[in-house]
Amino acid sequence: LPFSAAANLRPGAEQKVVFITARVHPGETPSSFVCQGIIDFLVSHHPIAKVLRDHLVFKIAPMLNPDGVYLGNYRCSLMGFDLNRHWANPSPWAHPTLHGVKELIIDMYNNPKINLEFYIDIHAHSTMMNGFMYGNIFEDEERFQRQAVFPKLLCQNAEDFSYSSTSFNRDAVKAGTGRRFLGGLLNDTSYCYTLEVSFYSYIVAGTASAVPYTEEAYMKLGRNVARTFLDYYRLNSLVEGPLAPTPKTR
């Protein structure tokens, strides 16, 4: 969409952009349900969603690997590439979705009228439990601490999100991922994360038993991710009326 398409913002508002991608690995189906939860919440009539639409621009690419999903691949695209290792130099021929999304992100980053503040790539994890995040390591201690704020707030909003499992790294194997590449490209006011969610279950803090994930539980995590931007940007006072329960998604 052209940048003028941010017509949801209140007049004169800064264009603060949250860019979300999902399903770069076809077999990680929970990522689609989390992304669906985010989308359904943001377009709902919930008063929090209205405030978020007034103040933020959400750009969402819900499926980065549609051909791999269609073919039933677990990790690769039609061409046999793990797209999440090719962010540094994606080919318009071999990695077209990645190339297009990267071009859009760079155009936004270079546009003085736009503040690209968040990039979140949604995945699913086959061995860990709960939802958690991967972030980047920076030499600047203040930047590193600021990066921890969003996952800490999400931990307060989502019972299945684990801050203790959240980690910050610069593993060389992950250098071609969206989080690592964009974390090195964007400036220190942008935050790049991988959001992981377990394939099978979560443990609520203070309990010992594992709760199996359902499609609804994944979508609830997505709704809680969206809600957390209200806390992050301190927009709570703008929510009108008593808060209704978060709407169920299909």
Side-chain angles (χ1 to χ4, degrees):
L1 290 176
F3 302 122
S4 60
N8 56 286
L9 294 177
R10 72 195 196 288
E14 262 187 295
Q15 287 208 40
K16 296 180 179 178
V17 173
V18 175
F19 207 110
I20 296 170
T21 57
R23 205 71 183 275
V24 71
H25 292 142
E28 297 176 8
T29 50
S31 69
S32 282
F33 292 114
V34 174
C35 191
Q36 186 70 53
I38 294 173
I39 294 169
D40 285 354
F41 180 75
L42 289 174
V43 301
S44 74
H45 295 295
H46 195 284
I48 289 177
K50 182 181 184 306
V51 170
L52 292 176
R53 292 193 300 266
D54 286 345
H55 291 80
L56 299 169
V57 177
F58 288 88
K59 295 285 186 183
I60 301 175
M63 190 173 285
L64 284 180
N65 196 342
D67 51 344
V69 170
Y70 176 78
L71 290 168
N73 291 353
Y74 182 73
R75 195 168 181 88
C76 294
S77 66
L78 169 66
M79 302 289 291
F81 291 107
D82 180 344
L83 295 181
N84 204 37
R85 296 296 182 271
H86 289 274
W87 276 89
N89 190 27
S91 156
W93 177 75
H95 327 104
T97 54
L98 222 60
H99 182 268
V101 167
K102 180 182 172 183
E103 291 281 294
L104 177 57
I105 289 174
I106 291 175
D107 284 349
M108 287 182 163
Y109 178 62
N110 291 330
N111 187 327
K113 296 180 179 179
I114 293 175
N115 293 322
L116 180 55
E117 305 212 332
F118 280 89
Y119 172 74
I120 300 175
D121 190 27
I122 309 173
H123 288 250
H125 206 283
S126 58
T127 59
M128 301 276 283
M129 295 215 284
N130 293 66
F132 59 94
M133 280 179 151
Y134 292 129
N136 295 311
I137 290 178
F138 303 105
E139 303 304 330
D140 181 347
E141 179 64 22
E142 185 197 354
R143 184 182 184 187
F144 181 75
Q145 294 297 335
R146 281 189 279 118
Q147 184 189 212
V149 172
F150 188 85
K152 285 180 178 177
L153 291 172
L154 179 54
C155 189
Q156 294 173 11
N157 288 335
E159 65 175 8
D160 58 320
F161 185 84
S162 169
Y163 185 76
S164 61
S165 294
T166 292
S167 64
F168 303 91
N169 62 66
R170 53 160 65 116
D171 184 350
V173 177
K174 304 289 183 70
T177 65
R179 165 184 63 89
R180 282 291 309 281
F181 176 75
L182 294 172
L185 173 73
L186 307 179
N187 63 27
D188 63 358
T189 61
S190 302
Y191 303 100
C192 300
Y193 304 94
T194 302
L195 172 62
E196 297 273 3
V197 62
S198 172
F199 267 104
Y200 54 102
S201 63
Y202 61 94
I203 295 178
V204 179
T207 68
S209 58
V211 181
Y213 265 114
T214 61
E215 293 176 9
E216 173 57 32
Y218 288 130
M219 289 190 277
K220 182 179 179 182
L221 176 59
R223 295 194 295 269
N224 284 327
V225 168
R227 292 170 71 109
T228 300
F229 287 104
L230 188 83
D231 299 326
Y232 182 85
Y233 286 104
R234 298 176 181 174
L235 301 171
N236 307 68
S237 62
L238 301 178
V239 178
E240 294 180 4
L243 285 185
T246 309
K248 294 264 186 183
T249 50
R250 58 185 180 276

